[in-house]
Amino acid sequence: MYLVADIDVSICAEKSCKLCTQYCPEANTIQYSEEMGKSKGFKYGSAYVAVDRCKGCAQCVWVCDNMAKNNAIKMIMIDQLPLAAVTDNIRYDEKSTVAVLSNPMIVIGN
Amino acid sequence: MSLDYVKFSGGFEKFMPKEYRDMVEHGPFGKKISVSQMGSFKEILEEHPMCAGCAMTLFIRLAIIAFPNPEDTITVGTAGCGRLAISQAAIPFVYGNYGDQNGVASGLSRGLRLRFGDKPKDVVVIAGDGGTADIGFQQVLHSWFRKERFTTIMLDNEVYGNTGGQESGMTNRGAVLKMAPLGKKFEKMDMLQMAKVAGCAYVATVVPNNPRRVESVIKKAVLIAREVGSTYIQAYTSCNIEYAIPTDKVMEDAKNVENDRYQFTEYVSEEAKQYLAERYGYKEFLPKPAAPAAAIPNKA
Ligand SMILES: Cc1ncc(C[n+]2csc(CCOP(=O)(O)OP(=O)(O)O)c2C)c(N)n1
Ligand code: SF4
Ligand code: SF4
Ligand code: SF4
């Protein structure tokens, strides 16, 4: 098993600074969604991770903890994540993206 | 090259992979995109085999987003880590022999001008410190002295990363590396000064922990190279493998190195300033109004 980044929507959607989206070395891995936060009653949208692209470097954790000072990202074993975004389930909208969350292990194992 | 090359071929649309469809429908081609929109559009850079947490990868990602007209851009690269990502982007990439990149780019940029006339096609060389300051040194310097109109970007990880840790001209004096166990005996080469002496119209240093600055520097360099002359960007892009930087400390290292020896510097020639102001509306380069005459001191 291996670690991937997981963003706590309830923390991120309060701040929604988008900082981590600019610091992940991998393209289209930390995505941003208006729906992710607002549909759950939070103030703003939230960042989220396409786990199939995440290489587990934890650079985003450092950025969220030390630059944004929001502590919203944790590294989690991929099989411990109940639901996650994967590239196949991400749709692009005008200003953000929409992800249908699914069990990352089932999707990856398909 | 034009927006035409990011279209589906007739009848193929439904067979194309999702990533390709996203690129056609939600990519940055023909749009004004900035780093503040990252995470909401499909990027030109795809998945690639560079190491987890590599700062060079982040810099390449930002640089590609910053290209002013990606649909009219060709990148030129050479042996070294960076090509592993640059080649996985949806813009044409020319791969020369190790060190040939600035010679290849000189011919390419001249050829494109013959073929397409005034319509700008941007040529951007992206190569490692070994490729730029050691093996490609002669061609790099000659392209600058000849004022070849393209951008040269050095991905300075201060080591030959791709081949396991030999010292390069850009390694710092005293650095001990796997294949330089006695420590480097000479100073880091001053390529910035050489770029200025050779007549580059724009010379800048950046570190990827400031994405907006990377974006602004890349845009200026590419625009100036369209008409004024050679432009050079030297970016600190650490190798977390050869310098044993834990991946979650890569940005901390970038910050420390920026404070220590990689402060932001930018040189813009007078001609380039005028060009940016007049052609692209860069207000900071508009001529300053003459200072009012100094007030006569009150002798009372
Ligand atoms: C003519 C030639 N000599 C040697 C090599 C082997 N080689 C491949 S990459 C590389 C070093 C690259 O170092 P640098 O340019 O600093 O880029 P980095 O990998 O550090 O990004 C070498 C020596 C080669 N490909 N071609
Ligand atoms: S840095 Fe943290 S708070 Fe800011 S967008 Fe990313 S996860 Fe959310
Ligand atoms: S762990 Fe690394 S690869 Fe994964 S989302 Fe964070 S920065 Fe990106
Ligand atoms: S070897 Fe170093 S420079 Fe090359 S991809 Fe890995 S971390 Fe980056």
Side-chain angles (χ1 to χ4, degrees):
Chain A
M1 262 331 118
Y2 59 97
L3 291 165
V4 291
D6 184 42
I7 298 178
D8 185 334
V9 174
S10 64
I11 303 176
C12 180
E14 285 292 325
K15 313 282 181 182
S16 201
C17 65
K18 294 191 184 179
L19 209 58
C20 56
T21 61
Q22 298 175 12
Y23 285 87
C24 171
E26 304 302 314
N28 290 125
T29 302
I30 304 189
Q31 302 281 84
Y32 180 81
S33 161
E34 289 290 344
E35 240 177 54
M36 189 77 78
K38 287 183 182 162
S39 66
K40 290 187 185 155
F42 294 106
K43 206 165 165 189
Y44 307 112
S46 171
Y48 65 94
V49 178
V51 292
D52 54 328
R53 286 172 171 257
C54 173
K55 288 185 180 169
C57 67
Q59 203 152 291
C60 53
V61 176
W62 191 87
V63 167
C64 189
D65 290 357
N66 296 282
M67 292 175 79
K69 304 211 186 301
N70 291 334
N71 307 308
I73 314 182
K74 298 267 171 303
M75 300 307 293
I76 294 190
M77 284 292 172
I78 191 160
D79 62 344
Q80 306 294 307
L81 272 176
L83 295 172
V86 288
T87 303
D88 274 352
N89 297 350
I90 292 172
R91 252 189 322 110
Y92 288 85
D93 233 339
E94 255 327 273
K95 286 207 184 90
S96 81
T97 59
V98 182
V100 178
L101 302 181
S102 52
N103 183 316
M105 296 310 288
I106 291 171
V107 174
I108 288 168
N110 257 350
Chain B
M1 278 174 25
S2 71
L3 286 173
D4 279 348
Y5 91 107
V6 272
K7 278 186 185 161
F8 300 111
S9 299
F12 279 85
E13 182 174 347
K14 60 175 184 281
F15 302 109
M16 299 313 283
K18 178 176 189 301
E19 287 83 348
Y20 191 94
R21 274 185 279 118
D22 285 342
M23 177 60 64
V24 174
E25 288 157 6
H26 305 285
F29 296 107
K31 299 174 194 156
K32 289 257 173 293
I33 290 281
S34 93
V35 296
S36 59
Q37 291 154 276
M38 283 165 83
S40 57
F41 62 93
K42 170 70 186 150
E43 289 173 44
I44 289 170
L45 182 63
E46 249 306 323
E47 288 185 279
H48 55 75
M50 288 180 75
C51 300
C54 177
M56 189 184 286
T57 318
L58 173 59
F59 179 84
I60 292 168
R61 182 180 174 220
L62 295 169
I64 292 177
I65 290 171
F67 288 161
N69 290 73
E71 59 279 5
D72 286 311
T73 304
I74 300 182
T75 52
V76 181
T78 193
C81 288
R83 47 128 176 211
L84 300 170
I86 305 160
S87 57
Q88 305 305 313
I91 46 179
F93 169 66
V94 180
Y95 182 68
N97 275 327
Y98 195 30
D100 276 0
Q101 67 278 6
N102 279 50
V104 169
S106 299
L108 182 63
S109 118
R110 288 183 185 208
L112 290 169
R113 281 168 210 277
L114 287 176
R115 168 69 180 79
F116 294 103
D118 291 339
K119 193 167 181 308
K121 300 283 173 191
D122 299 321
V123 174
V124 183
V125 169
I126 312 178
D129 48 305
T132 307
D134 298 349
I135 319 290
F137 185 69
Q138 173 195 3
Q139 300 188 26
V140 169
L141 264 267
H142 264 275
S143 71
W144 290 348
F145 273 112
R146 290 161 188 238
K147 303 209 168 5
E148 297 290 348
R149 288 172 293 174
F150 61 84
T151 300
T152 303
I153 300 175
M154 179 201 283
L155 304 167
D156 184 13
N157 58 1
E158 306 184 324
V159 63
Y160 285 44
N162 206 191
T163 41
Q166 298 81 7
E167 69 178 45
S168 88
M170 298 301 286
T171 302
N172 290 293
R173 184 181 182 139
V176 174
L177 295 158
K178 271 186 222 143
M179 296 199 207
L182 299 179
K184 189 182 173 201
K185 301 228 166 9
F186 310 101
E187 299 298 333
K188 183 179 176 88
M189 286 166 73
D190 190 350
M191 287 296 282
L192 299 163
Q193 200 53 35
M194 274 183 269
K196 287 176 203 162
V197 169
C200 285
Y202 182 84
V203 180
T205 40
V206 271
V207 168
N209 61 3
N210 191 335
R212 280 175 197 273
R213 185 175 282 157
V214 173
E215 176 174 49
S216 128
V217 160
I218 299 271
K219 278 209 167 48
K220 281 182 251 182
V222 172
L223 294 176
I224 292 169
R226 281 183 184 168
E227 289 192 30
V228 184
S230 308
T231 57
Y232 175 55
I233 295 171
Q234 189 174 301
Y236 174 69
T237 56
S238 68
C239 175
N240 49 282
I241 297 292
E242 295 307 333
Y243 281 90
I245 307 165
T247 56
D248 64 344
K249 295 283 188 293
V250 164
M251 281 301 116
E252 189 178 317
D253 165 79
K255 212 168 155 224
N256 293 339
V257 172
E258 182 180 29
N259 292 337
D260 174 42
R261 61 175 185 280
Y262 242 98
Q263 284 94 354
F264 171 61
T265 60
E266 187 180 54
Y267 158 80
V268 194
S269 75
E270 289 308 315
E271 190 188 356
K273 282 182 189 165
Q274 194 185 344
Y275 167 80
L276 283 184
E278 285 173 6
R279 193 66 67 82
Y280 294 101
Y282 276 77
K283 292 204 182 68
E284 69 261 44
F285 297 130
L286 284 171
K288 304 258 179 303
I296 300 161
N298 187 349
K299 291 199 179 138

